[in-house]
Amino acid sequence: MPSHPIIITLDGWSSCGKSTLAKALAKELGYVFVDSGAMYRAVTLYFLRRGVDLSSSEQVQKALAEIELGFVFNPARGASDIVLNGENVEPLIREMQVAEQVSKVAALASVRKFAVQQQQRMGAAKGIVMDGRDIGTVVFPGAELKIFMTADKETRVQRRYLELSAKDPTISIEAVRENLERRDHMDATREESPLRQAHDAKVLDNTSLTPTEQLHIALGWARAAIG
Ligand code: DC
């Protein structure tokens, strides 16, 4: 790790490749990569399993108090899997059932407070790349490098469809499009920490970039910020 580790935040729309870039960037720099969306997904999975009524702040608070989140490095993925109360739930949190509920759960102020506190603790030593929606605006407003990622909507739908249909061939592209549009809308219009481009973020539109090209651009920014 370089002598002056920094914090790199990567925010942007659903399925525009934030995690792919964050993971590659962290590997190149020897930094820790944290997928903050996985935390909201794991909370959602717990709420679904327990049948938590999202309109009851009492039920939400009680359930949050029962949750312990952690990460464990998975060498096969070259990234960390999320652990919910001792159970590795990485594959489960990527399922459609969770995707359909997660934006509602992530809009709750108590859930955001719970997640943000843990995210800030993880970044205390710097040397971290974290991706999400509010990382550059709320979690680490003082981050040394902020990247805002975007890509054409239809490109994002196609990428997400390819990923999900490989696991579940019955899934339709319309269902994927509908879910993505709904999540984009909810993430950008919610009251609590909506998706916003930080005023000092660098914009990366990867509609026609390969993963190698986008990594090259981001690495240039990172090396300039590290100095
Ligand atoms: O990045 P993702 O698709 O795995 O995120 C899942 C959901 O969690 C998404 O609908 C937005 C929400 N999220 C959030 O509100 N804030 C974050 N920092 C990360 C994700």
Side-chain angles (χ1 to χ4, degrees):
M1 195 181 287
S3 48
H4 296 295
I6 65 167
I7 293 181
I8 302 177
T9 66
L10 250 158
D11 292 302
W13 302 99
S14 290
S15 306
C16 64
K18 296 184 297 295
S19 296
T20 305
L21 176 59
K23 187 171 104 176
L25 206 47
K27 190 169 173 222
E28 283 292 327
L29 298 169
Y31 279 20
V32 171
F33 157 53
V34 176
D35 170 2
S36 71
M39 299 171 73
Y40 292 99
R41 287 171 179 265
V43 169
T44 304
L45 177 67
Y46 188 82
F47 284 8
L48 282 170
R49 283 176 168 177
R50 293 291 149 116
V52 171
D53 174 1
L54 299 184
S55 65
S56 158
S57 57
E58 212 174 47
Q59 283 190 32
V60 168
Q61 287 291 358
K62 185 174 172 290
L64 285 174
E66 293 162 1
I67 296 177
E68 199 163 310
L69 297 178
F71 285 93
V72 61
F73 190 72
N74 177 345
R77 286 202 313 126
S80 295
D81 287 350
I82 188 139
V83 178
L84 167 65
N85 294 338
E87 177 189 357
N88 185 327
V89 290
E90 186 63 38
L92 293 175
I93 61 160
R94 306 289 160 197
E95 288 178 1
M96 208 54 178
Q97 205 197 358
V98 171
E100 272 165 7
Q101 293 301 317
V102 65
S103 289
K104 268 191 232 158
V105 172
L108 299 173
S110 53
V111 171
R112 301 208 70 81
K113 194 171 162 213
F114 170 85
V116 169
Q117 275 174 352
Q118 298 188 33
Q119 290 155 6
Q120 289 174 334
R121 269 203 302 274
M122 289 183 228
K126 300 207 176 189
I128 192 169
V129 183
M130 192 177 289
D131 81 302
R133 304 293 188 288
D134 61 338
I135 310 303
T137 50
V138 174
V139 183
F140 300 121
E144 290 84 352
L145 174 61
K146 301 179 185 178
I147 302 175
F148 189 85
M149 279 180 78
T150 178
D152 168 77
K153 193 184 82 192
E154 232 15 69
T155 306
R156 294 189 286 127
V157 170
Q158 290 292 341
R159 288 177 186 160
R160 189 85 185 122
Y161 175 68
L162 279 178
E163 194 185 318
L164 286 174
S165 60
K167 290 180 222 151
D168 175 6
T170 64
I171 210 145
S172 73
I173 194 155
E174 288 74 26
V176 173
R177 182 177 297 111
E178 201 266 328
N179 174 259
L180 191 128
E181 282 173 350
R182 196 152 29 86
R183 284 207 289 148
D184 278 357
H185 180 73
M186 287 192 67
D187 293 345
T189 58
R190 68 180 175 220
E191 254 174 60
E192 291 292 330
S193 314
L195 171 66
R196 289 274 180 277
Q197 183 185 321
H199 67 92
D200 49 352
K202 293 188 183 300
V203 179
L204 185 56
D205 181 336
N206 70 4
T207 308
S208 45
L209 294 179
T210 65
T212 310
E213 287 167 336
Q214 71 176 10
L215 175 61
H216 186 75
I217 296 170
L219 262 180
W221 290 337
R223 295 208 163 111
I226 290 166

